[in-house]
Amino acid sequence: VSLGDVFAESIGLDLVSGSLNLDSTINTRGSTLPVLLKELDGEAAFSVEAGSIRGVNADRLLRKIEQMIECKCPTALPAGGQTAFNDLKGTIKIKNGVVLNKDLLIDGNGFRLSGEGTLANLRNDRIKYDLNLAVAQSQARSDSSRYNLGGYTLPIQCRGTIYKPSCKPDATQILQQVAKRTATEKVKKVVGEKFWLKN
């Protein structure tokens, strides 16, 4: 089924699109949709093909990270946008309308997104979900671009409501690496390349 259509028609959520395969056992009770959603219990396994996740643009983030690493200059990271992916899979557990996931895995072009947390609390419409954007290769391609990331991982925190999520990257670890490399280059210039290589 179309994941976008399912979410849009059921709870008005425009977060993920793609072709959904779902195996689930879910129970609820009530006479209205809001009550039915708040009383949901169960579990499910899902996979999505050829879709996109809204709230974060992984390609744009990778380009910015590459820029920071190559020029050794910290810069602001973009928020928002959407990320196209090849495959998305994971499992969910639902308890009293709270949808939890601990094993989300998204395969993109040259990167992987993993995630865990509260996908949706249908009792207060809030989300609290953490993603990690990673490239394992020392050099990877995404479309026509090449990224020299060497195993960096970028944490992304998604907060807000299920209707208006906000996903913000935390580049603290990468900025520390950039600062360390910058300091190393400065030391090389001061003491000399030959001395540095000998010691």
Side-chain angles (χ1 to χ4, degrees):
V1 298
S2 169
L3 185 58
D5 291 344
V6 170
F7 280 153
E9 293 178 6
S10 60
I11 58 177
L13 176 62
D14 186 23
L15 182 60
V16 182
S17 65
S19 178
L20 170 69
N21 294 300
L22 180 68
D23 181 11
S24 64
T25 302
I26 298 174
N27 303 303
T28 189
R29 59 176 180 266
S31 56
T32 64
L33 181 58
V35 174
L36 289 170
L37 292 174
K38 291 178 181 178
E39 296 298 326
L40 280 175
D41 286 296
E43 55 187 35
F46 60 88
S47 62
V48 182
E49 299 175 354
S52 65
I53 181 169
R54 293 171 178 82
V56 59
N57 185 322
D59 284 336
R60 191 166 59 177
L61 281 172
L62 288 172
R63 284 194 292 271
K64 275 293 185 181
I65 294 169
E66 179 188 24
Q67 178 185 342
M68 284 195 295
I69 293 170
E70 295 296 329
C71 73
K72 303 177 181 65
C73 50
T75 183
L77 292 177
Q82 67 179 27
T83 298
F85 57 80
N86 302 319
D87 295 293
L88 178 156
K89 60 184 178 181
T91 59
I92 58 175
K93 290 188 177 182
I94 309 171
K95 184 66 177 177
N96 295 326
V98 180
V99 184
L100 302 172
N101 165 263
K102 293 183 178 181
D103 59 357
L104 181 71
L105 181 61
I106 300 173
D107 277 320
N109 293 320
F111 63 87
R112 277 192 169 191
L113 272 172
S114 57
E116 64 176 329
T118 302
L119 281 170
N121 185 333
L122 301 176
R123 291 184 168 270
N124 58 17
D125 298 332
R126 306 294 296 180
I127 68 170
K128 187 178 180 182
Y129 199 75
D130 296 321
L131 291 162
N132 276 298
L133 172 61
V135 177
Q137 302 91 340
S138 59
Q139 191 174 82
R141 284 187 176 276
S142 179
D143 297 328
S144 60
S145 300
R146 185 184 295 274
Y147 303 107
N148 301 303
L149 298 181
Y152 285 94
T153 298
L154 178 67
I156 303 169
Q157 290 187 340
C158 294
R159 303 291 186 266
T161 69
I162 59 177
Y163 307 107
K164 193 176 180 180
S166 175
C167 296
K168 297 180 179 180
D170 180 4
T172 302
Q173 296 177 14
I174 293 174
L175 290 174
Q176 288 173 348
Q177 290 294 325
V178 171
K180 182 178 179 181
R181 290 185 182 188
T182 303
T184 300
E185 291 300 320
K186 288 181 179 179
V187 170
K188 286 183 180 181
K189 288 181 180 180
V190 172
V191 302
E193 189 73 24
K194 291 182 179 179
F195 178 83
W196 179 265
L197 291 174
K198 289 179 181 179
N199 294 276

